[in-house]
């Protein structure tokens, strides 16, 4: 897990260095030479504060036991603050309706899966995006990469009392990449692909011999498996942005 985190931080730093270099490079780098100011493919990004409405699709892993939340849709909002240069800070909140598989760990493997339920999971986070074209857009496009940190909070699921497993509040983070398409100074579209990582914690009953199937092994092997697992979830979103100030 620590290796994944360090790799993500290194990628962000590399992007920041690249974008920072590009943002202070002489105008010839931006392709301004030979273009009248009004026809240059590079245009200064004027928006400083932007409100986004977001929709997306969430997938990924339910963990080695298959009981974690996965597969659903997201709706939410973001607030972007662009202080200048290549960096934008993005504060977001989103609500997802995700699928959860409920199991009874006291039963044998053929009958322990009980049902699939829906759980509301909310994401609260802050992201740091680094635009590869610096403080400008290219043909109204501004590709970026970055990292997002925050928490995920899950609603109560009454059926969790059957399995002993639950998903409540977890730290979540992950890298993202995307592109901003500036329709005008006021409006833009943000297309983003993000990897959301959070940790699942398995209860002791998953490591115990099933009460109603004593001849079967436990769901998890205590000699091999850990009681926690970090899982990846791809999140694809599209956001409509409206500039609140320049």
């Amino acid at each position: 897990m620590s290796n994944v985190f360090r790799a993500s931080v290194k990628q962000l730093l590399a992007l920041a260095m690249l974008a920072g270099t590009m943002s202070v490079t002489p105008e010839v780098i931006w392709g301004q030479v030979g273009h009248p100011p009004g026809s240059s493919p590079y245009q200064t990004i004027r928006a400083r504060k932007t409100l986004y409405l977001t929709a997306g699709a969430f997938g990924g892993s339910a963990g080695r036991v298959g009981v974690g939340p996965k597969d659903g849709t997201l709706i939410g909002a973001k607030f972007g603050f662009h202080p200048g240069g290549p960096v934008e800070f993005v504060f977001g909140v989103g609500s997802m309706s995700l699928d959860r598989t409920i199991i009874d760990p006291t039963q044998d493997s053929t009958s322990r899966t009980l049902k699939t339920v829906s759980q509301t999971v909310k994401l609260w986070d802050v992201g740091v995006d680094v635009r590869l074209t610096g403080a400008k857009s290219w043909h109204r496009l501004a590709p970026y990469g970055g990292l997002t940190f925050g928490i995920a909070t899950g609603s109560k699921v009454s059926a969790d009392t059957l399995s002993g497993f639950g998903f409540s509040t977890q730290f979540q983070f992950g890298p993202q990449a995307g592109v901003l398409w500036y329709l005008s100074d006021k409006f833009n579209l943000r297309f983003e692909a993000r990897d959301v990582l959070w940790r699942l914690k398995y209860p002791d009953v998953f490591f115990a011999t099933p009460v109603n199937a004593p001849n079967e092994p436990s769901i998890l092997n205590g000699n091999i498996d850990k009681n926690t697992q970090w899982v990846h979830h791809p999140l694809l979103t599209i956001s409509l942005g409206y500039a609140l100030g320049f």
Side-chain angles (χ1 to χ4, degrees), residues 42-244:
Y42 291 94
Q43 300 294 326
T44 298
I45 297 173
R46 299 181 60 231
R48 291 292 181 262
K49 300 175 182 178
T50 306
L51 179 65
Y52 296 97
L53 298 179
T54 301
F58 185 90
S61 173
R64 64 174 64 97
V65 182
V67 294
K70 67 167 187 174
D71 296 344
T73 57
L74 174 143
I75 57 171
K78 298 180 180 182
F79 174 75
F81 174 61
H82 177 215
V87 175
E88 180 182 23
F89 299 96
V90 181
F91 306 87
V93 58
S95 180
M96 303 181 291
S97 179
L98 304 182
D99 290 337
R100 281 271 314 279
T101 298
I102 303 299
I103 68 171
D104 183 351
T106 66
Q107 303 299 323
D108 60 63
S109 57
T110 61
S111 58
R112 67 169 56 115
T113 300
L114 301 179
K115 57 183 176 180
T116 298
V117 301
S118 179
Q119 181 177 25
T120 299
V121 176
K122 294 183 179 180
L123 297 179
W124 312 81
D125 46 48
V126 57
V128 181
D129 293 330
V130 179
R131 300 175 182 177
L132 301 186
T133 51
K136 298 177 181 289
S137 64
W138 177 77
H139 292 290
R140 294 191 174 274
L141 300 176
Y144 64 88
L147 283 175
T148 293
F149 301 83
I151 60 172
T153 59
S155 62
K156 290 185 178 181
V157 176
S158 58
D160 284 342
T161 57
L162 298 173
S163 68
F165 173 85
F167 184 87
S168 54
T169 301
Q170 292 292 335
F171 171 73
Q172 54 90 6
F173 80 100
Q176 69 266 359
V179 61
L180 288 156
W181 178 19
Y182 288 90
L183 307 175
S184 66
D185 281 344
K186 277 288 188 182
F187 291 95
N188 70 66
L189 289 175
R190 175 188 289 261
F191 303 91
E192 182 174 288
R194 178 181 165 194
D195 184 17
V196 180
L197 293 95
W198 61 44
R199 190 180 67 167
L200 302 179
K201 184 174 182 179
Y202 301 117
D204 292 341
V205 68
F206 282 16
F207 295 87
T209 300
V211 174
N212 296 319
N215 294 324
E216 286 206 5
S218 58
I219 297 174
L220 293 173
N221 186 335
N223 296 321
I224 301 174
D225 301 313
K226 297 181 179 180
N227 67 344
T228 59
Q229 180 186 10
W230 286 91
V231 289
H232 295 261
H233 302 89
L235 174 60
L236 303 177
T237 59
I238 180 172
S239 304
L240 174 64
Y242 177 77
L244 301 176

